[in-house]
Amino acid sequence: MGKRKEESISKPGSHKRQRQEYTDEHSDESNEEENSQSSADSNFSLLSSVGEVGIIESIQLKNFMCHSMLGPFQFGSNLNFVVGNNGSGKSSVLTALIVGLGGKATATNRGSSLKMFVRDGETSADISITLRNQGRDAFKPEVYGASIIVNQHINLDGSRSYRLKSKSGTLISSKKEELIGILDHFNIQVDNPVSILTQEMSKHFLQSKNEGDKYKFFMKATQLEQMKEDYSSIMKTKENTCIQIEQGVQRLEELKLLYCEKKERYKSIGFVNEMRNHLEDLKHKMAWAVVGEMEKEIQPIKEGIRAEEGNTEKFVQKLEECQVKVNEAEEKYKAIQDKLITINEEAQALHPQCISLKADVQARRKAVNEAEVLYNRFKTELKRLGKDDEQLHKRIEELKSSANQVSEPEKLERQRKIAHLREQLKAFHDEEMMIGQQVDQFQQAIYKCKEEHARLRREDCDVKQALDAKQKQLRELKDSKTNTLKRFGQHTPAFLEAVETAYKQGRFKHKPVGPLGAFIHPKDAELTLAVESCLKSLVQAFCCDNHSDERTLQLLMSKYYPHGFRPQIIVNKFQNEVYDVRHRGVHHPEFPSVLTALEIDHAVVANCLIDVRGIETILLIKSSRKAREVMQFNRPPKNCREAFTAEGDQVFERRYYSSDYLRPKFLSRDVEAEISHLEKEIENKKSQLTASQQRLYSIENEIRQNEDHLRGHRQHQKELQIKIRTTNAEIADLENMEEHQSVDIRTLEDEAEENKGKMESVKKDMQQQSKKMEELKNILQVAEKKFEEMKEKIHQVEEIAGPIK
């Protein structure tokens, strides 16, 4: 199992590695034996140590099996025999060796669990094994020193812990992975009968006459049995993967069919656009029809004006004066309008430049990052070449100090092998560098895909929330077909019943009124969205006569509405008559106010909306163009504060706000149309969600593929590193071969010169790359400065345009 110290006859200063790791192991050993025999006659008295690692120096047991204290046993460097009477502890030492180096309890044939090795009456057992760690193949000699001490503590419950110490007793590690690494480095296989042969295994092997049992022993000793089990596991994994691929193909076909169905449905929706265009044409015709009727009404008025013109000279003079003022105002308005158009054109011209500058900044930043990556790669390459140069010079000095000479044919053959191996080593290094670049590319691709995946996740979450809100609104609309109060909230009917019950019980002085939207009805259906945009949350509000009733209503609301979603409560003294607002309300011959456009069932509701929202001073104008003319191009009508369009836009004298509402939610009379519209929106959201999920699935597949490629390249990189170490070891073996000839150092000197040239080339590349990186950084700073200046310019233009608007 362990590596014992061997004796060989050789010249002073020449050493061999104690084990070979390549396929030509037997041929090398035979050559070694021949060389040893040929040199034995001349230098028999000189000995050198071959195996200096993995040798068991000592073992000590405490409370292990039936021994309270056994050892420490100090072993020699050569063959050791452990003898003694029955029960003296020979088998315990062998069992402790297996268990102490991480073996399973079943491998010892002495017990099925570790707790069986704890001595009766004790709570734990300890095993201490010292392994030699000397020579060139030592494991982390700068950490562990000349020996590695493996301490194992076994508890009564069957658990165990490791403590790996240096020769001085310093704790280095307590992880089993470190112990496995040491055993792998020393090539110690505790579960292999060739390394450790227990009594039961040897008895079974010697007494068995069945060739099958011997073959099983051979399979286990050569670890072919483990390889067979691994192969079976791999084949099962392969079968499961093939099944998953077939299922994925079937799913893909289903998705293709679903895509075709959705595509046909999308084509059918195109008919809706034609109907919408037809509706716009009808609206235009209707507008012109209204113009024709108004012209007919104006004609008699014009005739009356002509008849009265002779008697209205003073009015004509006044009209001319007003006309002069109007012309001046129109010229002023035209100048402002031209200035606004100029500013808007300037802003629109600046936006593409801003986008172009932003793209240029991003490209420059990417170029700087790539230059930095390339510079760091040159820097790493220079460090590696420096280490290689140092090792080459060190090796040349060692070879120059050697005074041995060898025969010319052997010397040439060895030089040829070394040159061939160095060519392989160079090819491995080049391939490793290329693999490293590909690994960087895959990492960048994975990073970009993950960023895109996170963005799509956020969008998917937003779409799901919007879909849930639409579905909730659809349920409320469907419920409102049987109970209109449910349009104001799912709990509204039950809450109103509770208010009615409380009023009958005398808890209210006056019964609260609400929701206010249940008492108002637009006279013109086209103005429904305008009314909702004007009233907003007041549609769901309640009105109380006094603060005492308000507190009682708040208490009732807390039982039916969650906190933060309770309707507004307005305290306003109840009156049976609607306020007289004829003197403070807006009056327009063509457009109604909100008050006159509504049928209000309750005087309290009308008074509440007048006090809180001032609905008598708000005009409703269907056309946004007409609304601008009334409110902004001319002086607003008397007592008019604002106006709303049919699309829900809010228009002030100097401001215009677009509506957040697309369709009415509470006051619409055509519930079926609203349900149909919501169903279409839900279908669109579902389609959008499906497309988003497909894109997510595609990106996840791309991430998995890139990660698989990355793992494969990293595995390939590890294999290349193993090949590089192996080739270096072969070169070292050839250079350190025990021969009666000196080593020609010309090749190494040439290689050192070549390595020096490479270092100079890399330094030159680093300087060029550094200059390029500085230039790119300067260009990036200039681009960022231009981009900031453009953003500031756009901001200034917008600030100038704001007051003009």
Side-chain angles (χ1 to χ4, degrees):
M1 157 191 164
K3 297 178 183 169
R4 291 290 165 229
K5 182 177 179 183
E6 300 175 0
E7 294 179 357
S8 63
I9 299 133
S10 61
K11 281 193 174 185
S14 60
H15 298 279
K16 278 203 167 192
R17 302 180 69 183
Q18 86 268 16
R19 59 190 173 98
Q20 299 290 331
E21 299 178 355
Y22 321 110
T23 56
D24 57 343
E25 178 180 358
H26 299 293
S27 63
D28 291 342
E29 288 179 357
S30 62
N31 292 334
E32 185 180 352
E33 291 175 5
E34 291 174 4
N35 293 333
S36 299
Q37 290 174 2
S38 64
S39 61
D41 297 334
S42 59
N43 299 296
F44 185 79
S45 61
L46 299 175
L47 302 175
S48 64
S49 173
V50 177
E52 293 294 340
V53 295
I55 295 174
I56 301 173
E57 293 183 342
S58 66
I59 185 170
Q60 182 177 359
L61 313 178
K62 180 181 178 182
N63 297 329
F64 188 79
M65 297 181 71
C66 58
H67 306 282
S68 60
M69 180 64 72
L70 192 61
F73 296 101
Q74 301 292 335
F75 296 110
S77 299
N78 299 306
L79 186 63
N80 292 269
F81 291 89
V82 180
V83 297
N85 297 326
N86 292 336
S88 61
K90 301 186 298 298
S91 299
S92 298
V93 172
L94 185 61
T95 302
L97 195 59
I98 297 173
V99 175
L101 293 179
K104 298 179 180 178
T106 54
T108 63
N109 293 321
R110 291 290 181 140
S112 59
S113 175
L114 290 175
K115 62 185 179 181
M116 300 178 67
F117 297 126
V118 180
R119 187 168 181 257
D120 292 341
E122 301 295 336
T123 59
S124 63
D126 293 286
I127 303 171
S128 178
I129 301 172
T130 304
L131 301 176
R132 185 173 296 175
N133 189 44
Q134 300 176 5
R136 288 177 304 176
D137 289 338
F139 182 82
K140 298 181 181 178
E142 69 281 359
V143 178
Y144 288 97
S147 300
I148 299 176
I149 302 173
V150 181
N151 289 340
Q152 185 174 157
H153 183 76
I154 303 173
N155 295 317
L156 194 59
D157 59 357
S159 61
R160 61 180 172 185
S161 60
Y162 299 92
R163 294 171 67 86
L164 304 177
K165 299 181 179 179
S166 64
K167 183 177 181 180
S168 60
T170 304
L171 178 64
I172 304 300
S173 177
S174 59
K175 297 181 180 180
K176 186 177 180 181
E177 290 77 8
E178 183 77 3
L179 176 60
I180 293 173
I182 294 171
L183 297 179
D184 289 342
H185 186 79
F186 292 163
N187 199 19
I188 298 174
Q189 303 171 8
V190 294
D191 57 346
N192 193 331
V194 174
S195 297
I196 301 177
L197 189 62
T198 61
Q199 287 182 349
E200 293 297 326
M201 184 62 73
S202 62
K203 188 187 300 181
H204 178 73
F205 177 70
L206 293 173
Q207 293 179 357
S208 174
K209 297 180 180 179
N210 187 357
E211 293 181 355
D213 294 339
K214 292 181 179 180
Y215 180 74
K216 290 178 180 178
F217 181 81
F218 164 76
M219 293 286 285
K220 187 173 183 181
T222 57
Q223 292 190 331
L224 289 174
E225 183 178 357
Q226 181 64 35
M227 293 175 64
K228 184 179 178 182
E229 293 176 357
D230 293 342
Y231 180 76
S232 300
S233 175
I234 290 170
M235 292 304 295
K236 289 181 180 178
T237 304
K238 179 184 176 183
E239 291 177 1
N240 294 333
T241 305
C242 290
I243 292 171
Q244 291 178 358
I245 291 173
E246 292 176 358
Q247 293 175 352
V249 170
Q250 294 176 359
R251 177 59 180 162
L252 181 60
E253 292 298 328
E254 294 175 359
L255 291 175
K256 286 181 178 179
L257 293 175
L258 181 61
Y259 167 74
C260 293
E261 293 177 2
K262 296 297 182 183
K263 189 174 181 181
E264 291 297 327
R265 188 166 185 178
Y266 175 76
K267 290 180 180 179
S268 64
I269 293 174
F271 178 71
V272 177
N273 293 329
E274 296 178 1
M275 295 296 293
R276 188 177 289 110
N277 295 332
H278 184 59
L279 178 61
E280 290 296 326
D281 293 338
L282 291 176
K283 285 183 178 179
H284 294 322
K285 291 179 181 180
M286 181 178 177
W288 282 111
V290 173
V291 170
E293 292 178 358
M294 293 301 295
E295 287 179 348
K296 292 178 182 179
E297 294 177 1
I298 291 172
Q299 191 63 32
I301 297 173
K302 286 183 178 180
E303 293 176 356
I305 291 173
R306 291 191 193 100
E308 297 293 333
E309 279 179 353
N311 302 324
T312 56
E313 292 181 359
K314 58 179 180 180
F315 293 107
V316 170
Q317 186 178 358
K318 190 175 181 180
L319 179 62
E320 290 175 354
E321 293 174 357
C322 292
Q323 187 65 38
V324 171
K325 292 181 181 179
V326 168
N327 292 335
E328 292 176 356
E330 285 180 351
E331 290 176 0
K332 187 176 180 182
Y333 169 76
K334 186 177 180 181
I336 294 173
Q337 193 71 18
D338 292 340
K339 187 177 180 181
L340 180 61
I341 292 171
T342 304
I343 293 172
N344 288 334
E345 289 176 353
E346 184 180 354
Q348 290 176 358
L350 290 176
H351 276 293
Q353 296 179 19
C354 182
I355 293 171
S356 176
L357 287 174
K358 183 178 181 181
D360 184 58
V361 168
Q362 292 175 349
R364 300 295 182 188
R365 189 174 289 116
K366 183 179 179 182
V368 169
N369 293 336
E370 291 175 354
E372 288 180 349
V373 170
L374 190 57
Y375 178 81
N376 292 332
R377 192 171 294 140
F378 282 141
K379 191 174 180 181
T380 304
E381 179 67 12
L382 183 62
K383 288 182 180 179
R384 185 185 68 78
L385 290 172
K387 290 182 180 178
D388 291 344
D389 185 72
E390 182 180 352
Q391 292 176 357
L392 284 171
H393 282 86
K394 185 178 179 182
R395 181 61 184 155
I396 289 170
E397 293 298 326
E398 291 176 357
L399 292 177
K400 283 183 178 180
S401 64
S402 176
N404 297 328
Q405 294 184 353
V406 296
S407 62
E408 192 66 22
E410 293 178 356
K411 174 181 174 181
L412 293 175
E413 178 64 21
R414 185 160 54 83
Q415 288 178 354
R416 186 188 64 78
K417 288 183 179 179
I418 290 174
H420 177 68
L421 288 173
R422 290 195 183 280
E423 289 178 359
Q424 288 184 349
L425 187 63
K426 184 176 181 302
F428 289 153
H429 277 303
D430 293 341
E431 187 175 359
E432 183 187 15
M433 185 177 295
M434 182 182 69
I435 292 296
Q437 294 174 354
Q438 293 176 352
V439 166
D440 293 339
Q441 292 174 359
F442 282 122
Q443 286 176 340
Q444 290 178 1
I446 290 171
Y447 176 75
K448 291 180 180 178
C449 287
K450 287 185 176 180
E451 282 187 338
E452 179 69 12
H453 186 269
R455 184 184 66 79
L456 288 174
R457 276 286 186 193
R458 292 191 295 269
E459 292 180 358
D460 188 72
C461 184
D462 294 339
V463 172
K464 285 182 179 178
Q465 291 178 353
L467 180 60
D468 292 339
K470 296 290 183 185
Q471 289 175 338
K472 180 181 178 182
Q473 187 177 353
L474 180 62
R475 289 193 298 270
E476 291 176 353
L477 277 177
K478 288 182 177 179
D479 291 340
S480 68
K481 292 168 67 176
T482 57
N483 190 341
T484 56
L485 291 175
K486 287 189 176 181
R487 299 187 69 176
F488 300 95
Q490 194 68 25
H491 307 291
T492 302
F495 175 67
L496 291 177
E497 290 181 2
V499 171
E500 183 67 27
T501 303
Y503 176 68
K504 291 179 179 178
Q505 293 174 352
R507 297 172 61 185
F508 291 108
K509 295 179 181 178
H510 296 276
K511 180 181 175 182
V513 177
L516 302 185
F519 297 90
I520 61 178
H521 312 285
K523 298 177 182 177
D524 189 347
E526 293 183 8
L527 296 175
T528 303
L529 181 58
V531 173
E532 281 200 18
S533 299
C534 174
L535 299 182
K536 294 183 174 63
S537 62
L538 292 175
V539 177
Q540 296 176 279
F542 284 77
C543 187
C544 291
D545 177 73
N546 53 77
H547 290 287
S548 175
D549 289 349
E550 179 198 10
R551 288 190 291 272
T552 306
L553 190 63
Q554 284 277 16
L555 185 62
L556 279 177
M557 277 189 180
S558 63
K559 299 178 182 178
Y560 292 90
Y561 294 94
H563 185 70
F565 295 92
R566 297 174 187 172
Q568 181 181 356
I569 299 177
I570 302 167
V571 179
N572 196 36
K573 190 67 176 177
F574 286 1
Q575 295 184 16
N576 295 327
E577 297 294 333
V578 179
Y579 297 150
D580 184 3
V581 293
R582 287 176 293 179
H583 299 291
R584 59 177 179 176
V586 60
H587 301 281
H588 195 278
E590 187 176 353
F591 307 112
S593 66
V594 176
L595 180 62
T596 57
L598 293 176
E599 292 181 357
I600 304 177
D601 300 338
H602 206 297
V604 171
V605 175
N607 294 336
C608 181
L609 295 177
I610 290 170
D611 288 336
V612 176
R613 189 65 182 91
I615 59 174
E616 78 281 7
T617 63
I618 302 172
L619 283 178
L620 298 179
I621 305 172
K622 295 180 181 180
S623 171
S624 59
R625 181 184 61 82
K626 199 69 176 176
R628 287 181 184 272
E629 290 179 1
V630 173
M631 296 297 296
Q632 296 179 347
F633 295 169
N634 301 306
R635 185 178 182 83
K638 184 180 178 181
N639 298 329
C640 181
R641 294 189 298 108
E642 56 186 298
F644 283 87
T645 68
E647 288 79 16
D649 298 344
Q650 190 175 16
V651 187
F652 290 93
E653 184 176 359
R654 293 184 178 86
R655 289 167 292 164
Y656 189 101
Y657 298 104
S658 298
S659 173
D660 294 332
Y661 300 94
L662 297 177
R663 297 186 65 84
K665 181 179 178 182
F666 302 103
L667 305 179
S668 176
R669 296 179 181 177
D670 192 354
V671 179
E672 293 295 338
E674 294 297 323
I675 290 174
S676 176
H677 177 76
L678 270 178
E679 287 175 344
K680 290 178 182 178
E681 287 186 350
I682 288 171
E683 287 298 325
N684 291 335
K685 291 292 182 184
K686 287 182 178 179
S687 300
Q688 186 178 352
L689 187 62
T690 303
S692 175
Q693 289 175 348
Q694 288 176 352
R695 177 62 180 155
L696 276 172
Y697 181 76
S698 174
I699 290 178
E700 288 171 355
N701 284 338
E702 186 175 351
I703 291 173
R704 283 195 292 269
Q705 290 175 2
N706 285 332
E707 287 178 344
D708 291 340
H709 289 313
L710 182 60
R711 282 194 292 271
H713 279 68
R714 282 179 173 167
Q715 182 63 31
H716 190 191
Q717 196 175 34
K718 290 180 181 178
E719 291 172 359
L720 284 174
Q721 291 171 356
I722 292 172
K723 288 180 180 179
I724 290 170
R725 289 197 295 271
T726 304
T727 306
N728 283 326
E730 289 182 4
I731 293 172
D733 286 342
L734 288 172
E735 291 174 345
N736 296 329
M737 283 181 63
E738 189 176 22
E739 298 174 2
H740 301 288
Q741 51 187 332
S742 62
V743 179
D744 187 1
I745 63 174
R746 187 181 302 279
T747 304
L748 293 178
E749 290 176 343
D750 294 339
E751 186 175 349
E753 288 296 325
E754 182 182 354
N755 195 64
K756 187 176 180 181
K758 288 182 180 179
M759 288 176 65
E760 293 297 329
S761 177
V762 172
K763 286 181 180 178
K764 187 176 180 181
D765 292 339
M766 280 182 63
Q767 292 175 357
Q768 293 177 355
Q769 191 64 28
S770 178
K771 292 180 181 178
K772 183 179 179 182
M773 189 165 60
E774 290 299 325
E775 292 175 358
L776 289 173
K777 285 183 177 179
N778 293 333
I779 294 171
L780 176 61
Q781 290 177 356
V782 172
E784 288 178 342
K785 185 177 179 181
K786 288 182 179 179
F787 179 61
E788 291 297 329
E789 289 175 354
M790 183 59 64
K791 284 169 57 178
E792 182 64 25
K793 193 172 183 180
I794 291 173
H795 181 67
Q796 291 175 358
V797 170
E798 289 176 348
E799 285 184 347
I800 293 171
I804 295 175
K805 289 181 180 179

